[in-house]
Each structure stands twice: as structure tokens, then as C-alpha cells.
Amino acid sequence: GITEEATTEATPVAEEENQKNDSDSDDGSDDSDDDSDDEDEFPVSHELVLKSHDRAVTTLTVDPAGSRLITGSTDCTIKLHDFASMTPSTIRAFKSVDPSAKKQSAAQEAHAVHYAAFNPLSPSYVMVVSATPQPRILSRDGDTITEFVKGDMYLRDLHNTKGHISEVTGGVWCPTDENLCATAGTDSTVRIWDANVGRSQKEVIVHKSKMAGSAGRSKMTAVAWGSPKQGGPNVLVAAALDGSLLMWSGNGPYTRPSAEIRDAHAKDTWTSGIDISSDGRLVITKGGDDTIKLWDTRKFKQPITTVAHPSSTRYPSSNIIFSPTSANVLTGSETGHLHILNPATLKPELVTPVTPGSPVISVLWHEKMNQIITGSANAETHVLYNPNMSTKGAALIMSKAPKRRHIDDDPSLTMDLTQGISGDSVVVGSNGVPHYSSSTWSARHPTIGLTASGRPRDPRRPHLPAQTPFAKSQPDEKHIRENIPLSSMRDEDPREALLKYADKAEKDPIFTKAWKETQPTPIYRDISDDENEQGPDKKRAKR
């Protein structure tokens, strides 16, 4: 057989640990009913694994239509995936972008990606926050549209700075205005930007910390901006390292918070996740003090509910979110499980293992696709879905037939080729030169490992000069020698060519021939020996 089918099947997640409230009866039939109900309620029966990153996946975003997934990681890249173009045997990112890359001439530094999000109202824009003071707005293809400016770090009053002066920890799009976004930074500010204007923010919200010894500043760790779906006032909520939780009206004024809770979480612990429910009334926070707390925006003083939940303090972007209908709360755990909680009691309705032994950092429940996407510390992105409830996304990929492969594409069957290259993938170009089509990794990433000028990034590789058009098309040399005058001068040594005429010039001069007979012989004075040895007169020494 010339072709072989690469088969990949979606495996149902083996064990669902259903933790139920004590009120449930222990009758066996009820339990099995509950199991099937839980499986049907949440789209977690099947999973698809993407392994496109090298390190922990810290942030996930899918555009509102559910066609493109962007993941960010501590390997300092974001990867773009199109669900429509993937098949069960070709599950990979189609593009990798370093969102913190400067101009090609500058020294390259890479920074971990903290946060990436499609604009919910205008999905052609993606906000990316890497571990720098300068967040960026990218197009959906990963090209930088706006880079926000870095502020002057020597100004004491942060109201006068034009941008963040130290690393930004998170960001959020405005839920009502497609042009606005907010970023929270370690410089104790939340800044509201116009996404089209990078040179200065629209508003600076400075958090004045009351913690002793903090000099009035505290790192902002997370920010959320929510608006009731039925309309109404939108709210901006942020958490700080001093343990405080702050709330402003989303439309201003921003001079002081409309509500502030001083010790919402233990001070000096990193509150990594914060989210606002779809009715704008509940705020959920996930603290570095191993608690999850639920707050009411109308009575912003004490938490409604608090529950212990060991958090992964190593990952500052580990998030907590409300489900699209706000009927559940989702978060990952240190042990690699996905927890789906009841928002009223914060008790788990479903705990399912995703990457056992490796913390689940970021979670996302996409409304239109009805799929749950998780990013883990072992660099895996898992898409959980249920073929009956979920649309598009992973369900679409797994419903396709695997891509037909040539038998030579399997490197274990090809003896002498480390990369299996089949005859199908060799394309003969218009100039008659065979080259390999984009079946190899390096062909799909022609610029990785090269600078803008085409020079290899590896400093040990010598710079190969660009091939000139003349050298590329070497014409017929015989034709040149015969038809192009003086063409032989290209190949000979000019000194030799001139010295050929030295004897002839002496015997038969062209220009001085007329004076050859009458030329007088020059008579030179001989220098006597004693005159030669005597140097110039010595000056008499002054007395």
C-alpha cells in the first residue's frame, strides 16, 4: 500500500471525580444518574491535546466566533492555531510570534507572556501583555499595531507618567467600548488606554497603598472589567499585592476607588485571578493565600463565601473565571485538575483531571463553541468538549478524517532520511530547481533563525553574501569573449598587461620619437665621498 492512515481518536477522559453535596442520597441508581447528568452538563467528556509550546502555557484566548485560538507561554512566544485547518494528525500552531521583539537591529531580549486576549467587540485586535512595561495590541495574525509607551521612571508622581514604568502583570478589554483597554502594572497603577494611541494612556489610576513600609505603592496583580449583559453601570476591579481589592466605576471618576477592601487577601500574597459575573454583581478572586473568595459589588465589604483552594504561586497569571452564563466558576488546581464550582457555595460540582501532577494555570470556557480550554505547566493545552453539546473547535477537528500520509513520510520506514520526505513534497519551481514544499518545519518557518537582513542569528555562522543577479544567471562565456569588447580585461592582471609594453616603449616610443636623435645626454654631478659622509652643519650650542 502506498498510503497509510494516521489514526487519532479522541479519548474520553477516563475518570470523572464527582464530588457531591452531603444532601445527595447514597442510593446507587441516583449516583449513576448524577454521573450522567454531570457529564452532560459540562463539556468535559472528550479532550484534544495541543503541544505547541516548550514551557508552561500561561494564557489562552479564542476569538468570539471560535475559529482561532491564541496561547501565550513562559517560552516567550504566542502561538496561533486555526481550528478549521487542523486535522487529527496535524494538530499544530500555524504561526509563532514573539510579542516583545524589538526592531531587528536591537539586542534581542525575550519576555514571558502574562496575558493575551481577543477584543470581544472587535476580534481583529489582540492585546498581549508580556513581562515588560509595554503591552502591545496585535492584529489577529500577530503583527504589532500599537505598542504602548514606557513611562518616565524618575517621576515621583505617577499621575505625570505617560505609561507604565515597570512590568505589567495583566490587562483587560473594556466590555462596552471596543477602543478601550486597561492594564495593571507593578508600578501601583491601573491605566486605561485607547488601543489606537500608544504614546500616552487616557487615564492613570494610582493605587495609594496604606501598608506600612510600602512608600504608598503596591504592585497591582490582576484586573477585571465587567458590564451587566442587560446593560447598566460597568465596573473596573483590581487587586494589589498589599491584599487590597479596589473597585471603580468603569466610566470614571478614577481619582479614588468607589469601594476598597483593605485586607481582602493576606498581604504580600499574589492574587492572581479575578473575574466579574455576567450580571455585574459578583466578583470572584483567587488569592496566593490559598483561598477563593466571592464578593458582592453592591455590598463591597465582606466576602459572601470563602473556600480554601491551594494555588500555584509560581504562576502569577493563574486565573479564575465565571462560566459564560455565570452559573459556575472555573479554575485550575496545583494538582492538575479542573475544578468547576458552584458560585453560591464555592463547593466543587465537578473535579476532573487534566494534567495530573502538573498545575493547570489558565482556563477558558468559550460561549459559542461550548468548550473548556486549559493551559498547564507541562506546556500542554487541553481542549475539553462533548461531541453532542460542543460546536466547531476540537469537535470539528476530531470529526475530520486524518490527513492521508505518504508512506515515505513516516521516518521509521525511511532508512536514510532523518526527515521523511516523500516525492509528493518535492516541488519543481519555475526555474527548474526542485525544492521541498512546506511539509517540513523549517519550510513553514522560513524566517526563524534569521535576522531581517537574512543573516543567521547564530553568531558562529559566517555571513554569506547575497547572490547577485549576474552570478545567479551565468551567461555563455564564449559568447562574451567574442562579442563584448574588452571583456578579456576582466580576467587578466592589469600590471602584467602594462609591463608587456615596457620593452616596446623603450625601443620604439610613440610620443618622444621626434626628439630621439637630438635628445642631449644628461650629465650628473658626482658626489665625492667626504661630502657624502659629512652631515648638515651642527648648530653652535648656545652658551
Side-chain angles (χ1 to χ4, degrees):
I2 297 296
T3 59
E4 62 166 8
E5 298 284 351
T7 54
T8 312
E9 282 192 13
T11 51
V13 178
E15 59 272 2
E16 305 284 354
E17 301 173 23
N18 292 308
Q19 301 188 354
K20 294 179 195 61
N21 301 346
D22 301 335
S23 58
D24 286 351
S25 71
D26 294 335
D27 190 18
S29 62
D30 275 7
D31 267 6
S32 61
D33 285 352
D34 276 354
D35 271 8
S36 58
D37 285 353
D38 270 351
E39 288 219 1
D40 291 340
E41 189 181 349
F42 306 117
V44 293
S45 59
H46 294 59
E47 73 175 347
L48 166 77
V49 183
L50 295 127
K51 298 183 178 175
S52 39
H53 282 287
D54 302 329
R55 294 198 193 151
V57 179
T58 50
T59 179
L60 309 156
T61 180
V62 177
D63 64 341
S67 59
R68 182 163 294 183
L69 162 70
I70 295 185
T71 56
S73 162
T74 53
D75 66 9
C76 308
T77 61
I78 60 171
K79 306 273 190 198
L80 289 74
H81 313 74
D82 261 346
F83 287 121
S85 62
M86 291 196 274
T87 67
S89 53
T90 56
I91 295 175
R92 55 177 169 232
F94 72 88
K95 191 170 185 185
S96 172
V97 177
D98 178 357
S100 59
K102 294 283 182 206
K103 289 195 188 72
Q104 294 290 1
S105 54
Q108 289 297 329
E109 287 182 5
H111 300 275
V113 179
H114 286 326
Y115 180 78
F118 274 100
N119 187 330
L121 304 173
S122 168
S124 50
Y125 298 103
V126 185
M127 170 166 50
V128 177
V129 173
S130 44
T132 64
Q134 296 181 267
R136 292 189 180 193
I137 306 295
L138 307 182
S139 73
R140 60 181 281 125
D141 297 319
D143 306 316
T144 301
I145 296 174
T146 313
E147 182 180 36
F148 295 141
V149 73
K150 183 179 192 293
D152 184 346
M153 64 179 100
Y154 297 107
L155 295 179
R156 178 72 196 132
D157 186 357
L158 291 168
H159 289 97
N160 298 330
T161 54
K162 289 186 162 53
H164 285 285
I165 60 172
S166 58
E167 181 181 323
V168 179
T169 55
V172 65
W173 284 103
C174 174
T176 54
D177 184 344
E178 61 188 31
N179 293 313
L180 295 186
C181 59
T183 55
T186 52
D187 55 1
S188 191
T189 64
V190 173
R191 294 170 195 259
I192 297 174
W193 303 83
D194 184 328
N196 311 302
V197 180
R199 61 180 180 275
S200 174
Q201 74 275 324
K202 274 172 73 78
E203 301 281 349
V204 193
I205 309 174
V206 181
H207 166 52
K208 296 186 175 59
S209 175
K210 309 287 192 299
M211 195 170 68
S214 68
R217 290 188 186 179
S218 174
K219 296 178 178 179
M220 306 304 288
T221 62
V223 62
W225 200 339
S227 160
K229 286 204 170 156
Q230 70 272 22
N234 57 355
V235 288
L236 184 62
V237 184
L241 192 64
D242 60 8
S244 55
L245 189 61
L246 309 148
M247 180 167 75
W248 297 268
S249 160
N251 304 323
Y254 306 110
T255 45
R256 58 174 59 86
S258 57
E260 176 178 4
I261 306 169
R262 284 277 170 83
D263 299 309
H265 285 279
K267 66 179 186 190
D268 285 329
T269 62
W270 192 272
T271 306
S272 60
I274 185 168
D275 196 25
I276 303 171
S277 65
S278 58
D279 59 5
R281 291 188 174 171
L282 298 176
V283 174
I284 188 114
T285 57
K286 178 181 184 178
D289 53 1
D290 293 343
T291 59
I292 292 176
K293 297 188 180 184
L294 184 72
W295 313 83
D296 190 331
T297 54
R298 296 159 299 178
K299 193 177 174 193
F300 211 56
K301 293 272 187 295
Q302 295 295 326
I304 307 172
T305 321
T306 302
V307 67
H309 182 89
S311 67
S312 53
T313 46
R314 289 174 300 160
Y315 299 104
S317 62
S318 77
N319 67 347
I320 185 164
I321 57 161
F322 280 99
S323 68
T325 56
S326 294
N328 300 99
V329 172
L330 276 77
T331 187
S333 76
E334 184 80 318
T335 54
H337 291 69
L338 170 71
H339 290 244
I340 301 181
L341 314 174
N342 179 321
T345 60
L346 294 185
K347 288 206 168 73
E349 297 199 352
L350 177 76
V351 179
T352 177
V354 178
T355 50
S358 179
V360 172
I361 303 169
S362 50
V363 291
L364 170 74
W365 187 334
H366 193 273
E367 183 171 19
K368 191 166 181 188
M369 299 194 302
N370 196 17
Q371 296 174 30
I372 298 173
I373 306 168
T374 66
S376 301
N378 62 356
E380 291 180 0
T381 307
H382 288 241
V383 186
L384 307 180
Y385 68 102
N386 182 329
N388 306 322
M389 302 160 50
S390 307
T391 55
K392 297 172 77 169
L396 169 74
I397 296 174
M398 284 311 184
S399 65
K400 293 181 186 173
K403 198 169 184 181
R404 292 175 77 86
R405 288 291 180 94
H406 196 283
I407 193 164
D408 292 349
D409 280 343
D410 184 357
S412 61
L413 302 176
T414 53
M415 293 192 299
D416 50 350
L417 288 176
T418 51
Q419 299 297 317
I421 295 175
S422 68
D424 301 348
S425 67
V426 178
V427 178
V428 177
S430 56
N431 53 1
V433 178
H435 59 261
Y436 298 109
S437 72
S438 56
S439 60
T440 60
W441 188 88
S442 54
R444 282 196 303 274
H445 303 78
T447 55
I448 291 192
L450 298 176
T451 60
S453 57
R455 185 173 298 176
R457 278 198 204 285
D458 186 347
R460 296 162 301 190
R461 290 280 297 270
H463 176 48
L464 300 171
Q467 212 180 8
T468 60
F470 190 83
K472 204 175 285 179
S473 58
Q474 283 185 327
D476 183 12
E477 293 197 8
K478 181 165 174 283
H479 164 79
I480 289 184
R481 265 204 311 278
E482 290 172 358
N483 295 356
I484 297 182
L486 301 179
S487 62
S488 62
M489 288 175 66
R490 283 193 318 151
D491 307 320
E492 60 186 350
D493 181 11
R495 186 167 178 275
E496 293 291 329
L498 287 172
L499 286 177
K500 270 196 303 197
Y501 300 104
D503 294 343
K504 193 180 175 198
E506 209 154 289
K507 293 193 185 93
D508 185 19
I510 299 176
F511 301 110
T512 56
K513 211 173 191 175
W515 297 281
K516 196 169 183 184
E517 306 301 324
T518 59
Q519 198 70 286
T521 48
I523 303 170
Y524 299 111
R525 180 167 72 96
D526 293 334
I527 295 174
S528 60
D529 295 343
D530 57 339
E531 198 176 342
N532 193 15
E533 285 164 10
Q534 186 184 346
D537 294 343
K538 297 268 191 301
K539 285 193 176 172
R540 292 171 64 187
K542 287 184 181 173
R543 288 207 166 83

